[in-house]
Amino acid sequence: MKHLISLLKLTFFLVFFTILNPTTQADAPVENFDKIAEMLKQSGKLSETATEEETEQAVKDYIRERTKSFKDAKKKPPKKNES
């Protein structure tokens, strides 16, 4: 059972990082790209009147930052339990 859970976790992370690959819009499913763009507009980080190029760049920048934060989190040593 532990092996199955480990396998499922690994599969989830592989799929997650594949979707968040910041290379081009074509690499990410269009529905996810559109959802991220809508979220950026709703949060005020992207103008409602942004051009297609501005929207694409904003989404790429968002994905790049999110991916960077995950990579940075991996580099930090785990916290020690002070029990």
Side-chain angles (χ1 to χ4, degrees), residues 10 12 32 36 41 55 67 69:
L10 176 63
F12 170 79
N32 289 339
I36 293 171
K41 288 179 181 179
T55 302
T67 303
S69 67

Side-chain angles (χ1 to χ4, degrees), residues 1-10:
M1 188 65 162
K2 289 181 183 180
H3 296 295
L4 179 60
I5 292 171
S6 296
L7 182 61
L8 289 173
K9 286 180 182 179
L10 176 63

Side-chain angles (χ1 to χ4, degrees), residues 49-60:
T49 59
T51 65
E52 188 174 320
E53 291 81 18
E54 292 171 330
T55 302
E56 184 174 340
Q57 188 61 46
V59 171
K60 285 181 181 181

Side-chain angles (χ1 to χ4, degrees), residues 20-76:
L20 291 181
N21 186 351
T23 54
T24 64
Q25 176 184 352
D27 291 334
V30 174
E31 63 188 48
N32 289 339
F33 186 88
D34 292 340
K35 287 179 183 179
I36 293 171
E38 186 62 33
M39 182 268 309
L40 290 172
K41 288 179 181 179
Q42 288 177 354
S43 68
K45 295 180 181 180
L46 180 64
S47 170
E48 291 287 337
T49 59
T51 65
E52 188 174 320
E53 291 81 18
E54 292 171 330
T55 302
E56 184 174 340
Q57 188 61 46
V59 171
K60 285 181 181 181
D61 291 345
Y62 173 81
I63 292 171
R64 192 172 297 116
E65 282 299 313
R66 294 289 297 177
T67 303
K68 182 179 179 280
S69 67
F70 285 119
K71 288 179 182 177
D72 290 346
K74 285 184 176 180
K75 292 178 183 176
K76 293 180 183 176

